[in-house]
Amino acid sequence: MKKQLKKLGLSIDWEREISTCSPDYYKHQQKLFLEFYDKGLVYRKENYVNWDPVDQTVLANEQVIDGKGWRSGAQVERKKLNQWFFNISKFSNELLSSLDELVSWPNKVKIMQKNWIGKSFGCEINFEIDNTKEKINIFTTRPDTIFGASFIALSVDHPLSNNYKDDKNFQKFKKDCDKTGTTEEALANAEKLGFKTGFLVKHPFIQEKKLPVYFANFVLMDYGSGAIFGCPAHDQRDLDFAHEYGIDVIPVVKPSNVKENNFKIGSEAFTDDGIIINSSFLNGLSVEEAKLKIITEIEKKSIGRKKTNYKLRDWGISRQRFWGCPIPIIYREDGEILAVEEEELPVKLPDIKNFGETSTSLNDIPNWKETVCSKTGMKAYRETDTFDTFFESSWYYFRYCNARLDKAFEKEDINYWLPVDQYIGGIEHAILHLLYSRFFTKALRD
Ligand code: ANZ
């Protein structure tokens, strides 16, 4: 590539050339990671991932095509793995509001980022479980449809599932759900699966009315509270589910130009704006008016409150492959998880010929993996996952400002050269590289 660029006669200052795969570059990156770790911007969590059972690796959402791995064609599964995360969601609101300052950015990119961050206004409502003191907390953006609620649906990982730990039918149901993948799109398009619990909840505004509680495959645990009230007449997923399980469909919004008696819900939910019907004190209001009124009532009754949610998830940065930048963490035999001492950086990759032909995991190299804790002399092993390579591209523009500096970068150089005048890259970077790099700048500032 370099030869070709030279032949093209491009006027490039090769003094500033960097190689992100070289320890000269990634030693700074490992240090940055440890600084983020110190400041609480990095954490480790067990989380569901897209798992390709043939290639034995995690796949990003973009690498799952129609539920199958892009390389192997294998059915992707939901699997729980311990992963390292950057706390990018801490910056959701700032990443959204400061889009306005990016006056030279293409509108298309800004809109994509806005949608990806996905700010949702709505409210939380607590539903009381019948015959117990327990409550189920749900998140909704359509509290105006509360009188059309006909069931509650929970994620299979909702805490209430503990009641079904030993139930064989529930375990089988959960296994079936694992085959659906983890993306919102996959869940929306998948066949709707439910498991009926023995619980009923009380409707907060209709006396004596009780709603059945299901576990359902289309409810995500890591959005809102992992629980919803279903209003089949006005949400397509809820409607598909209701038809599958014989649940009531109660229309509570009608188009303004159609008479109430003539309005019927068939196989399509009505999701447009309209006039509220069948809803006691909300009747006759518009959707927006009804939202405000019902939230006031909910807050008055102390059964919930206004709530803003974001779609943006934390950035999972662990990859199960040998060729990335090693994550500078050790696991000590006494169970402690420790950052590698700064003097010991960089943690380099092992130099092994033909590596990757039989295994693609550092986990298979015992003499690299096994180490000792320099403080205590106790045995330890290294983190064998490597960083997502988007980490490298999250800060190269800082490094270009002074590419031979001992430390990662210097404020003075950055203030002189940045921001970037022109960026050339495909639209596929809109919600990846171009979002991660904005997060990075803000995190480094903090
Ligand atoms: C009742 C309702 C009635 C809803 C209706 C929609 C239409 P956004 O934020 O735009 O995605 N929801 C909430 N948490 C969920 C979860 N963890 N997994 C799956 N779905 C979830 O939309 C929020 C809506 O998505 C919420 O509003 C909830 O369904 C559902 F006529 O509540 B709604």
Side-chain angles (χ1 to χ4, degrees):
M1 194 71 208
K2 186 174 175 182
K3 258 191 217 160
Q4 293 176 5
L5 291 171
K6 283 189 162 174
K7 279 186 180 171
L8 283 165
L10 300 182
S11 178
I12 286 169
D13 178 1
W14 292 102
E15 294 282 294
R16 288 171 193 268
E17 181 186 16
I18 57 177
S19 271
T20 57
C21 59
S22 143
D24 278 340
Y25 183 83
Y26 72 60
K27 69 179 176 198
H28 300 296
Q29 178 160 317
Q30 290 178 341
K31 232 176 110 180
L32 289 176
F33 171 80
L34 295 181
E35 283 182 34
F36 280 21
Y37 188 47
D38 263 358
K39 291 281 182 296
L41 287 171
V42 172
Y43 64 93
R44 186 170 178 264
K45 182 177 93 172
E46 203 176 34
N47 202 32
Y48 281 105
V49 293
N50 300 306
W51 180 256
D52 183 323
V54 170
D55 276 357
Q56 295 280 306
T57 185
V58 168
L59 297 178
N61 288 349
E62 296 79 17
Q63 295 164 341
V64 181
I65 319 282
D66 294 333
K68 301 199 168 66
W70 66 296
R71 278 188 63 217
S72 67
Q75 189 74 37
V76 167
E77 296 167 1
R78 232 165 60 106
K79 185 173 167 171
K80 249 187 181 172
L81 271 191
N82 264 309
Q83 303 251 293
W84 288 95
F85 289 86
F86 277 142
N87 197 347
I88 177 168
S89 65
K90 185 178 169 204
F91 295 81
S92 297
N93 202 33
E94 197 189 344
L95 285 166
L96 183 67
S97 61
S98 59
L99 279 173
D100 290 339
E101 292 159 30
L102 304 175
V103 284
S104 319
W105 281 44
N107 226 5
K108 181 172 168 186
V109 172
K110 290 199 276 186
I111 289 172
M112 284 171 77
Q113 290 209 355
K114 181 171 175 232
N115 291 338
W116 189 253
I117 296 166
K119 192 171 187 173
S120 265
F121 299 98
C123 77
E124 289 179 328
I125 308 176
N126 289 312
F127 284 80
E128 208 181 304
I129 303 179
D130 202 24
N131 296 326
T132 74
K133 291 229 154 49
E134 276 181 79
K135 295 195 169 92
I136 298 176
N137 178 259
I138 64 93
F139 172 69
T140 178
T141 49
R142 295 294 309 273
D144 53 297
T145 64
I146 184 81
F147 285 91
S150 54
F151 68 98
I152 296 284
L154 312 172
S155 153
V156 280
D157 302 306
H158 190 278
L160 265 191
S161 67
N162 287 334
N163 292 301
Y164 295 88
K165 267 201 312 261
D166 305 321
D167 183 323
K168 282 211 173 70
N169 292 328
F170 180 74
Q171 292 314 329
K172 181 180 175 302
F173 167 73
K174 197 169 166 174
K175 267 213 177 104
D176 291 340
C177 291
D178 284 348
K179 289 186 193 135
T180 319
T182 63
T183 65
E184 210 183 317
E185 187 197 1
L187 294 179
N189 295 331
E191 186 196 350
K192 303 290 171 290
L193 299 174
F195 179 91
K196 192 169 183 180
T197 72
F199 295 110
L200 293 172
V201 299
K202 294 183 187 157
H203 192 292
F205 291 97
I206 307 177
Q207 265 199 354
E208 303 301 323
K209 179 159 178 152
K210 308 223 166 101
L211 311 178
V213 179
Y214 290 80
F215 291 102
N217 64 340
F218 64 94
V219 184
L220 303 155
M221 193 58 226
D222 64 356
Y223 186 63
S225 58
I228 64 159
F229 78 72
C231 177
H234 305 291
D235 183 279
Q236 194 59 46
R237 294 169 304 178
D238 295 350
L239 186 62
D240 296 342
F241 190 79
H243 284 157
E244 192 71 37
Y245 292 95
I247 298 170
D248 291 346
V249 180
I250 308 158
V252 288
V253 187
K254 70 163 190 71
S256 48
N257 56 354
V258 177
K259 283 224 169 73
E260 191 172 332
N261 290 342
N262 298 338
F263 181 57
K264 295 268 160 343
I265 299 284
S267 59
E268 252 181 59
F270 177 69
T271 56
D272 291 344
D273 198 3
I275 303 294
I276 305 288
I277 54 173
N278 297 329
S279 298
S280 170
F281 58 89
L282 298 179
N283 284 343
L285 298 179
S286 71
V287 166
E288 275 321 300
E289 289 165 345
K291 277 183 188 171
L292 291 179
K293 182 148 189 188
I294 194 74
I295 292 178
T296 310
E297 287 303 312
I298 286 166
E299 291 186 337
K300 228 194 260 167
K301 286 178 88 155
S302 300
I303 53 166
R305 61 195 168 95
K306 225 182 270 151
K307 176 97 203 242
T308 303
N309 270 326
Y310 295 90
K311 285 272 154 62
L312 187 63
R313 297 283 78 111
D314 281 338
W315 172 15
I317 47 173
S318 301
R319 293 293 178 270
Q320 295 69 44
R321 51 196 176 207
F322 70 94
W323 44 263
C325 167
I327 300 176
I329 291 284
I330 61 168
Y331 301 88
R332 209 165 61 185
E333 60 182 340
D334 62 351
E336 287 292 314
I337 300 176
L338 299 165
V340 172
E341 296 292 316
E342 204 178 312
E343 308 79 67
E344 296 169 49
L345 298 182
V347 179
K348 290 191 194 168
L349 287 172
D351 193 8
I352 294 173
K353 280 210 171 57
N354 304 336
F355 191 62
E357 281 177 10
T358 49
S359 164
T360 56
S361 169
L362 289 171
N363 204 12
D364 295 333
I365 317 218
N367 63 6
W368 183 86
K369 183 180 162 182
E370 286 158 16
T371 181
V372 285
C373 166
S374 59
K375 275 200 217 135
T376 60
M378 274 192 232
K379 277 195 216 157
Y381 65 88
R382 295 189 185 286
E383 170 62 65
T384 56
D385 284 350
T386 56
F387 286 126
D388 180 3
T389 54
F390 277 108
F391 190 172
E392 275 95 67
S393 56
S394 290
W395 68 282
Y396 65 77
Y397 45 95
F398 291 124
R399 186 69 183 159
Y400 278 137
C401 297
N402 193 345
R404 301 290 171 264
L405 198 66
D406 282 345
K407 54 184 196 173
F409 41 74
E410 187 74 73
K411 202 167 175 183
E412 232 169 77
D413 302 312
I414 288 171
N415 286 340
Y416 179 76
W417 287 102
L418 294 182
V420 173
D421 297 299
Q422 185 160 26
Y423 171 76
I424 303 174
I427 192 69
E428 73 275 13
H429 287 302
I431 46 171
L432 293 165
H433 173 42
L434 292 174
L435 187 62
Y436 297 148
S437 52
R438 294 184 60 224
F439 153 68
F440 240 73
T441 308
K442 295 178 195 313
L444 287 170
R445 173 206 62 200
D446 285 359

